[in-house]
Amino acid sequence: MTKIIQVKPPRVFSELKPWLQDHYQDLPKRLQSVAVFAMHNPDVIALNTIASISDQVSVTPSTMVRFAKSIGYQGFSDMQAVFQESMRHVPQPYSERLNSMQRSAGREQTVLSQFTQAAAESITRLEQKVDESALLKASEQLAQARMVYIAGQGRAEPVVAYLHYTLVKLGVQSVVLSGMPHSMADKARMLQTDDVLLAISFSPYTANTRELVDICLLNKAKVVALTDSTLSPIARADDFHLEVLEDEVSGFRGLSATMCLALCLAVETGRVRAELDKKLNT
C-alpha cells in the first residue's frame, strides 16, 4: 500500500518543487519516476489528459491518480490545477522583473536589502542542508581525475568560470567545455574513464548540459553535478551531485550560495589533491 504524505501540499506551483524534493524519498520507486517526469515536464501535466500523460510516463492512469493522492492531493485533477497555475506564471521578461522590483523596493525594501536578505537566506539554507559527505565524495572524484572538464550555460556560466579559475590555481588540471552544442558533444565523447565532467545546470536546465551528462555516463566517464534539486535531470543515481537552491527576488536569482558551494568544492578538491600528491612524493 502506498504511503500517503500527511503534510498538506502547496497550492502554488513555485513552492511545489522544493516541497516535493523534501518528500521525494518517501515515495515508492515507481512514483519517484512520476515525480521526476512531472517536475521536468510541468506543461505536459498542466495541458494534457490523464490518459495522454500516463502514456508519456509509461504508467497507468491509476498510477497517476495514486501519485497525486500519495503527495496529499485529493486526486489527479486537484494536482493538475496546481500545474495549470504554473502556466499563468511563465518567466517574466527582464524588463517586467525590473519594474516589479522597483515597485516593491519603493514600497517596502531597497533593492540592496532585498538581494542581501535573499543571499543570506540562501547561504543559511546551504549550511543547514548541504550533504557534507557528498561534498567530500565529489571532491575526491575531482581530485583523482586525470582532467576535469567543466560545463554549464546561461546562469551557470559565472560558476563555470569561477570553478575553472580556482581549480587551476589549486593545481587541479581543468578545462572548460565550450563551443557549439554538437562540438561540445563530440568533446564529451572523448572523455576517458579517469576523466570527470563537472556539470552545472539550474532550472529550467539547458538541454546541452543534460546531453553532456548522458554521453559521459554512457561512456563510463564520471560526472559531478552541481544543480538545484534532487529532481534535476543532471542529478542521477550513477553520478555525484550537490544541490543548492537560491532565493528569488522578483524573478531574479542570485548566485551567492552557489558560489559559496563552488568555492567549498574547489578548496576541498585542492586539499585532497595536495594529500594525494604528497603520498606520491614520499
Side-chain angles (χ1 to χ4, degrees):
M1 184 175 180
T2 301
K3 177 182 176 181
I4 297 177
I5 297 171
Q6 298 297 325
V7 182
K8 189 176 180 181
R11 301 304 309 181
V12 178
F13 181 78
S14 61
E15 299 173 0
L16 179 58
K17 188 171 185 177
W19 182 90
L20 188 55
Q21 180 177 344
D22 289 340
H23 295 283
Y24 178 75
Q25 296 299 331
D26 296 331
L27 297 172
K29 291 291 184 183
R30 190 62 170 161
L31 298 188
Q32 286 181 352
S33 66
V34 177
V36 170
F37 180 90
M39 290 298 98
H40 293 170
N41 304 275
D43 54 332
V44 173
I45 303 296
L47 302 175
N48 290 270
T49 64
I50 188 170
S52 173
I53 297 167
S54 302
D55 185 59
Q56 294 185 57
V57 189
S58 299
V59 298
T60 63
S62 62
T63 300
M64 295 301 302
V65 174
R66 187 157 57 94
F67 169 70
K69 290 184 175 180
S70 71
I71 61 175
Y73 293 103
Q74 296 178 11
F76 176 78
S77 297
D78 185 35
M79 181 189 73
Q80 188 179 44
V82 177
F83 281 82
Q84 290 171 341
E85 182 270 342
S86 74
M87 304 305 293
R88 297 193 291 271
H89 296 277
V90 296
Q92 293 179 314
Y94 275 82
S95 59
E96 292 183 20
R97 298 184 196 186
L98 183 59
N99 290 335
S100 175
M101 180 186 298
Q102 289 174 332
R103 289 194 297 270
S104 62
R107 293 195 308 269
E108 302 168 4
Q109 298 175 293
T110 65
V111 171
L112 178 61
S113 65
Q114 289 182 80
F115 276 120
T116 52
Q117 181 178 335
E121 291 176 356
S122 299
I123 291 176
T124 298
R125 183 191 304 110
L126 175 69
E127 183 180 19
Q128 293 172 345
K129 294 193 173 184
V130 71
D131 185 341
E132 295 205 32
S133 64
L135 177 61
L136 179 58
K137 289 178 182 177
S139 301
E140 289 172 345
Q141 291 301 313
L142 295 174
Q144 295 166 8
R146 182 188 68 88
M147 179 69 72
V148 176
Y149 292 84
I150 313 175
Q153 296 176 308
R155 199 168 68 92
E157 289 185 26
V159 190
V160 170
Y162 184 62
L163 276 166
H164 178 240
Y165 170 82
T166 310
L167 287 172
V168 169
K169 289 294 185 180
L170 290 169
V172 179
Q173 291 193 14
S174 63
V175 296
V176 175
L177 275 180
S178 59
M180 298 296 290
H182 67 275
S183 174
M184 294 174 68
D186 288 340
K187 293 175 184 176
R189 293 185 182 96
M190 297 176 64
L191 266 68
Q192 302 175 25
T193 54
D194 56 353
D195 293 324
V196 174
L197 172 68
L198 177 49
I200 306 156
S201 187
F202 309 108
S203 179
Y205 312 112
T206 54
N208 182 224
T209 305
R210 178 177 182 174
E211 181 186 15
L212 299 178
V213 170
D214 289 339
I215 290 170
C216 288
L217 292 178
L218 181 64
N219 293 336
K220 308 301 181 184
K222 295 181 179 65
V223 173
V224 170
L226 183 57
T227 188
D228 56 4
S229 171
T230 301
L231 306 180
S232 164
I234 69 168
R236 314 288 179 78
D238 49 355
D239 68 12
F240 299 87
H241 56 268
L242 301 170
E243 299 157 28
V244 57
L245 188 64
E246 299 279 0
D247 278 18
E248 291 189 7
V249 176
S250 299
F252 290 99
R253 281 180 294 169
L255 289 168
S256 303
T258 307
M259 285 298 196
C260 181
L261 181 58
L263 178 59
C264 292
L265 178 62
V267 169
E268 276 291 287
T269 299
R271 181 187 63 79
V272 176
R273 185 58 174 266
E275 290 179 355
L276 293 174
D277 290 343
K278 185 177 180 180
K279 289 179 181 179
L280 289 173
N281 294 326
T282 56

